Amino acid sequence: DGKPDVKLMSRTSASRNLVGEFMILANSIAALYCVRNDVPIIYRTQEIAEGLPELDPDNYDPLLFEQAIKCMKKSRLSLHPQSHGGLGADFYTQLTSPIRRYTDMVMQRQLTGHLLGHELPYEAEELMAVIASAETVNSEVRDVQRSADNYWLHEFIRQEMTGEECEAIVISKAPGGYQVELLPLHNRTRLMTPEKLTPGDRVKVLIEKVKPKRNLIQLLLQK
């Protein structure tokens, strides 16, 4: 009826953890097999992060999460087997989501060809071309998905929360104010205020105006 529906989903549920662990295990075993059998594939690698804080999966702390994100290095695609620091895997590839990632389908074709004893579908040079194309397309897809998610979340806030007070956590200093995280939706936006606040402070804010197309939420700090 013209109204977006937003609900919070637990990323630490037993079912999600089970599926996630099986996915990581399958990708890790596939990568290890290809290393041992000299099968050319596309690896997903990531440098080990220095100074990574301990995160409690059962107690979300936005400041620790922000610190962890800043410590993490970007993962990248490579034809050379290296470790994936974020997952703690010696070798890692991605082949468990062929419906939404083309590179996963390429990896399934490559591994299937090897297991059946057929000529490999892709030589190293062809995999390099896939990497070059996939990195650009994946980045564009993430941007489009992020933009769509942000738009509808802002539209939900505009329709359901404009004029209401809510709690926010101060994350960091920003020009003219602070970056804050609105609860309970965990949406980050900017609070323009001359008041002196400290990261970690919990404050009350009034949602004055929301412009979904600009990803803009105008907040007023409540005393």
Side-chain angles (χ1 to χ4, degrees):
D1 299 322
K3 291 187 176 182
D5 180 39
V6 174
K7 63 180 179 180
L8 295 175
M9 297 179 65
S10 173
R11 292 188 174 274
T12 59
S13 67
S15 58
R16 278 180 172 267
N17 284 338
L18 183 65
V19 172
E21 289 299 323
F22 273 132
M23 179 195 74
I24 293 171
L25 181 61
N27 289 331
S28 300
I29 290 175
L32 179 60
Y33 177 87
C34 290
V35 170
R36 290 176 173 173
N37 291 275
D38 294 322
V39 181
I41 62 166
I42 299 172
Y43 296 93
R44 172 69 69 175
T45 70
Q46 186 182 47
E47 293 181 40
I48 296 175
E50 299 292 339
L52 191 67
E54 284 286 336
L55 299 178
D56 183 353
D58 297 319
N59 295 288
Y60 169 66
D61 185 325
L63 294 185
L64 283 180
F65 182 77
E66 180 76 3
Q67 184 182 340
I69 291 296
K70 289 181 177 179
C71 288
M72 298 286 282
K73 305 291 185 180
K74 282 188 176 182
S75 64
R76 63 187 184 87
L77 300 178
S78 172
L79 296 185
H80 306 290
Q82 298 176 36
S83 65
H84 192 297
L87 297 175
D90 291 335
F91 308 108
Y92 197 73
T93 188
Q94 289 178 311
L95 49 74
T96 52
S97 300
I99 294 177
R100 65 185 181 92
R101 276 195 304 256
Y102 177 68
T103 50
D104 289 42
M105 182 163 31
V106 170
M107 291 305 89
Q108 288 196 8
R109 289 172 179 166
Q110 190 80 333
L111 192 56
T112 300
H114 169 77
L115 293 174
L116 293 176
H118 298 165
E119 182 179 350
L120 293 180
Y122 301 93
E123 298 292 338
E125 294 78 11
E126 294 172 301
L127 292 179
M128 281 296 297
V130 171
I131 289 177
S133 174
E135 291 281 44
T136 301
V137 173
N138 287 343
S139 177
E140 292 174 352
V141 168
R142 286 193 296 269
D143 288 344
V144 170
Q145 182 175 358
R146 189 181 302 114
S147 177
D149 289 345
N150 284 337
Y151 174 82
W152 288 112
L153 181 58
H154 280 73
E155 180 61 21
F156 174 82
I157 294 172
R158 185 188 71 80
Q159 292 187 21
E160 303 293 334
M161 300 175 66
T162 299
E164 294 186 3
E165 280 189 10
C166 68
E167 190 175 27
I169 300 176
V170 178
I171 302 298
S172 60
K173 192 81 173 65
Y178 300 87
Q179 184 188 44
V180 298
E181 186 169 297
L182 298 180
L183 300 178
L185 297 177
H186 303 292
N187 182 57
R188 294 195 177 185
T189 187
R190 188 171 296 182
L191 170 64
M192 309 299 287
T193 177
E195 296 285 337
K196 289 188 176 181
L197 302 174
T198 303
D201 285 351
R202 289 178 175 258
V203 296
K204 289 289 185 180
V205 296
L206 176 70
I207 300 177
E208 287 191 306
K209 187 181 295 184
V210 183
K211 297 181 178 180
K213 289 185 178 180
R214 295 174 57 189
N215 285 338
L216 177 66
I217 302 177
Q218 187 172 317
L219 302 175
L220 181 63
L221 182 65
Q222 302 295 284
K223 301 294 185 180

